[in-house]
Amino acid sequence: MPITAAERKYLRNKHRGGKNSAKGNLYEEYYAVYQLALLIDKYRSTPSNVHLATQVPETFVDDLLIVQEGLHKTYHQLKDVKNISWASNNLKCDFERQRDISLENGEQFALKIVYSDADSSVGAVPETISDCTTAEHFPSCPSIQSLYFSFHPFQQAVKNIATPLNSTDNDLIGISGALLGAWGIVDSQSSTSLEEILEKVYNIGKGLININTYPSSIKVSDDCSALFHQIGVQFQVSGTSLYWSYRSFSGYLPWTKEAEDRIIAASPKDFKDIIDLLN
């Protein structure tokens, strides 16, 4: 059955409330960061195939929509309240109506309720929607740091996209902050690709934040490689950084054309000539 005039009015009011509370809604933002980390890891070679949006018009389950491979849609409703139940605020009816609409549209879809109250009864999905609905507990935390230290799945998701040499707690919290900053910049109420969000992350953390899913377009020129080999410096490029080692010494630096030009111009002959340029 098509959406009725009365339902459109209901949805307008629902979306208006969502938009008014969206700014500063840390629970929804932190959950989006968690999903971004999972999606970046899963689609590291094809981030343009994933799109995200919030407060989606004419949807009954509307807090976050993730569209994967241009086909499969996952509709999320997030509830950071105590004592929430399926009888609260038309919640069960909204899920049933969204299921009906998605079926009528021939979508490949799933519905998900995400809740912060570990004792909430919404963890038990009603039988009428259990074929397309899952429930997920996600804790409510006052900061991205506290979420990182208190919720292991979040910590692991961020660690999975970090480069091996950039996986200290401070590094991973930095990555979390860059993801949060990128999500805050994009117009999430319009469909945004994961690739666009990754570009924002790169711009926010350039030179400081390094993840293994950045497009690997940086290279070491033949001339610079020859200098490294002549001195005996071993190196590899990962993400946006060059990692180097020489005997018992090792380190890394953001690899840019400027950094490479400085090394070539200095024409170092041994390690003592190059060490300052590698830091």
Side-chain angles (χ1 to χ4, degrees):
M1 183 180 72
I3 297 175
T4 66
E7 286 176 328
R8 282 196 174 90
K9 182 178 180 181
Y10 164 73
L11 289 176
R12 282 196 299 271
N13 291 333
K14 180 180 181 182
H15 295 329
R16 187 179 300 118
K19 288 178 181 179
N20 289 341
S21 63
K23 189 174 179 61
N25 189 333
L26 293 181
Y27 185 71
E28 294 183 12
E29 291 176 358
Y30 291 172
Y31 184 76
V33 169
Y34 177 46
Q35 289 302 305
L36 286 174
L38 293 172
L39 291 167
I40 289 169
D41 187 38
K42 183 177 181 179
Y43 292 96
R44 60 180 59 201
S45 61
T46 56
S48 62
N49 290 351
V50 185
H51 289 75
L52 301 92
T54 62
Q55 303 302 317
V56 184
E58 297 200 352
T59 59
F60 286 80
V61 179
D62 68 333
D63 283 333
L64 176 65
L65 171 62
I66 299 174
V67 184
Q68 301 179 53
E69 305 291 350
L71 292 172
H72 190 275
K73 299 181 176 181
T74 305
Y75 297 86
H76 299 73
Q77 200 73 51
L78 282 78
K79 295 295 182 182
D80 183 21
V81 291
K82 294 288 186 182
N83 303 317
I84 186 73
S85 74
W86 284 103
S88 304
N89 300 320
N90 297 315
L91 184 60
K92 181 170 175 283
C93 294
D94 283 346
F95 271 70
E96 290 174 336
R97 191 67 179 100
Q98 185 61 55
R99 174 204 57 197
D100 293 344
I101 291 170
S102 293
L103 286 172
E104 289 169 8
N105 291 338
E107 296 177 355
Q108 297 179 28
F109 74 98
L111 310 180
K112 184 182 287 189
I113 179 74
V114 181
Y115 59 98
S116 62
D117 182 1
D119 298 323
S120 172
S121 63
V122 296
V125 177
E127 186 176 347
T128 55
I129 54 173
S130 61
D131 60 332
C132 62
T133 303
T134 56
E136 178 182 4
H137 174 251
F138 183 77
S140 180
C141 296
S143 69
I144 202 79
Q145 292 93 335
S146 61
L147 177 62
Y148 171 84
F149 284 113
S150 65
F151 189 52
H152 180 72
F154 178 85
Q155 183 179 130
Q156 188 60 51
V158 178
K159 187 173 184 178
N160 287 345
I161 63 172
T163 58
L165 295 178
N166 292 94
S167 56
T168 67
D169 287 337
N170 284 340
D171 291 327
L172 299 180
I173 291 170
I175 291 172
S176 305
L179 291 172
L180 179 63
W183 182 245
I185 291 172
V186 300
D187 181 8
S188 60
Q189 291 180 9
S190 299
S191 180
T192 304
S193 74
L194 187 62
E195 186 174 47
E196 293 175 73
I197 296 168
L198 266 174
E199 289 174 358
K200 300 292 185 186
V201 175
Y202 176 81
N203 290 330
I204 288 171
K206 192 172 183 180
L208 297 173
I209 301 300
N210 195 17
I211 60 178
N212 61 21
T213 49
Y214 281 149
S216 186
S217 59
I218 65 171
K219 305 292 182 184
V220 179
S221 70
D222 291 343
D223 288 344
C224 197
S225 295
L227 279 173
F228 285 146
H229 291 313
Q230 175 185 319
I231 295 170
V233 172
Q234 305 296 314
F235 68 91
Q236 66 176 18
V237 171
S238 180
T240 59
S241 294
L242 179 138
Y243 296 83
W244 60 266
S245 63
Y246 177 82
R247 297 181 181 174
S248 62
F249 298 91
S250 64
Y252 69 93
L253 74 159
W255 192 245
T256 62
K257 186 178 184 303
E258 292 75 18
E260 182 173 78
D261 287 347
R262 284 195 299 271
I263 291 173
I264 292 173
S267 190
K269 298 296 187 294
D270 54 32
F271 185 65
K272 71 177 186 300
D273 293 334
I274 200 174
I275 186 170
D276 288 340
L277 299 170
L278 294 176
N279 293 304

